Amino acid sequence: MEPSVLRRAVDAAATTAAELGLDVSDAVAVHNSDRIAVRLDPCDVLARVAPGAWHDGMAYEAEVARRLAATDSPIGGLDPRAPDVYDRDGFAITFWTYYEPVVADHDGPAPEQLGWTSGLAPAEYVDALVRLHTGLRQIELDAPHVTERVDGWTALVDDRERTPDLPERDRALLKDTLTAGIAKAGTAEQLLHGEPHPGNVLNTSTGPRFIDLGTCQRGPIEYDLAYLPEEVAELYPGADLDLVHQFRILTWAGVAAMRWNRDDQYPDRDRWRVDLLDQLRAGLAR
């Protein structure tokens, strides 16, 4: 969000929290993208604030969280004092329990060498995801299929008005990759997190917890594993690593397309545009 919009979003979160009876004397934005996260103290709450058009998506995320909470899944939960989606000043707001991050002490490579900074050992990461998948199998939820996301990425690549700066050579590469699809069929499917990458798992004093539950969708577990570092994905019991690689290629292409969207506000998007295309070419060469 732009600075002026960011300030309004932080104020909307703090004012709404205070009206709900939460004690707020300090509000600090700790993450800024197209949706922001705001640390509220001393009530120890993390507010997530997005443009009002996101209301339905945030309501979906809150419903996923409520249902998973009943399964004892390793997730970051809603704050029980403010369990709904709230609208103020053109923003949609949800309130979540704040978990103080910790750095785990474990043997093996340093987390930054493996490509993430949560401090989780690969085995911890996998165990948490297995438990999350178990919880997702226990709930009933209307969720899109992963192919719908791929179709959305393809439509973005085809839309030159939304991706005006995407070079034609790279546009053709993304289009060919996304329309090639997946070679394997008939794999068992279930509800998935949708984006369980390292940025969406917290290392807390109560163990790993997954956040950003609004990406929940249906498909093979290998789709989720495509978002994990390879050193982690290969530890998942029974995973088809060839299928993981196919989904990883699709994901690189899709996320690259998102970074070329003219309205994308992802931090450092210019670097990601290049890096993701490089990863895609290397993955296809394998």
Side-chain angles (χ1 to χ4, degrees):
M1 292 184 181
E2 296 298 325
S4 60
V5 179
L6 176 64
R7 185 66 259 167
R8 286 178 43 233
V10 172
D11 289 345
T15 302
T16 303
E19 289 183 353
L20 291 168
L22 301 178
D23 187 6
V24 180
S25 61
D26 192 30
V28 178
V30 295
H31 176 74
N32 181 18
S33 184
D34 43 7
R35 175 169 63 170
I36 68 167
V38 182
R39 172 79 185 276
L40 302 177
D41 279 321
C43 59
D44 229 15
V45 167
L46 190 74
R48 306 191 74 186
V49 190
W54 287 43
H55 179 101
D56 289 348
M58 294 178 77
Y60 176 75
E61 179 180 36
E63 183 61 24
V64 175
R66 281 190 288 268
R67 296 193 186 196
L68 282 174
T71 70
D72 198 32
S73 295
I75 62 167
L78 289 163
D79 188 286
R81 298 167 292 180
D84 299 313
V85 182
Y86 304 89
D87 297 296
R88 175 179 291 275
D89 194 22
F91 299 104
I93 308 164
T94 50
F95 297 96
W96 303 80
T97 300
Y98 179 79
Y99 301 92
E100 195 68 42
V102 299
V103 177
D105 182 16
H106 58 77
D107 296 328
E112 55 271 19
Q113 291 178 306
L114 296 175
W116 70 90
T117 58
S118 67
L120 290 172
E124 292 178 284
Y125 199 154
V126 167
D127 177 70
L129 186 58
V130 168
R131 289 189 290 123
L132 177 61
H133 283 160
T134 299
L136 285 164
R137 287 195 293 270
Q138 297 175 47
I139 67 174
E140 293 292 331
L141 190 71
D142 229 0
H145 194 269
V146 296
T147 53
E148 294 183 40
R149 174 175 286 187
V150 177
D151 289 343
W153 289 333
T154 306
L156 182 59
V157 170
D158 284 338
D159 191 337
R160 285 175 169 77
E161 288 190 8
R162 288 196 291 163
T163 55
D165 299 325
L166 178 60
E168 289 306 309
R169 173 173 171 268
D170 295 327
R171 189 185 305 276
L173 172 66
L174 295 178
K175 178 66 177 290
D176 290 347
T177 303
L178 292 168
T179 55
I182 296 296
K184 295 190 176 184
T187 304
E189 299 185 349
Q190 68 156 83
L191 284 175
L192 306 170
H193 178 284
E195 291 184 9
H197 56 70
N200 280 339
V201 58
L202 306 177
N203 187 18
T204 79
S205 60
T206 57
R209 291 181 177 272
F210 287 92
I211 59 173
D212 271 3
L213 304 172
T215 54
C216 184
Q217 53 202 290
R218 184 172 295 278
I221 58 102
E222 284 82 3
Y223 179 86
D224 264 1
L225 300 186
Y227 283 88
L228 274 57
E230 291 185 21
E231 296 85 353
V232 180
E234 65 186 13
L235 297 179
Y236 195 100
D240 183 333
L241 296 182
D242 178 61
L243 186 56
V244 171
H245 182 64
Q246 292 185 57
F247 275 124
R248 187 171 282 125
I249 286 173
L250 272 184
T251 300
W252 285 332
V255 178
M258 292 167 60
R259 299 290 79 86
W260 284 95
N261 186 342
R262 68 181 181 188
D263 297 325
D264 183 56
Q265 297 184 43
Y266 195 83
D268 202 14
R269 72 169 187 175
D270 290 342
R271 177 176 67 84
W272 283 108
R273 285 176 170 183
V274 175
D275 287 354
L276 286 163
L277 287 169
D278 288 344
Q279 287 180 341
L280 175 59
R281 293 187 182 93
L284 288 169
R286 286 171 51 191

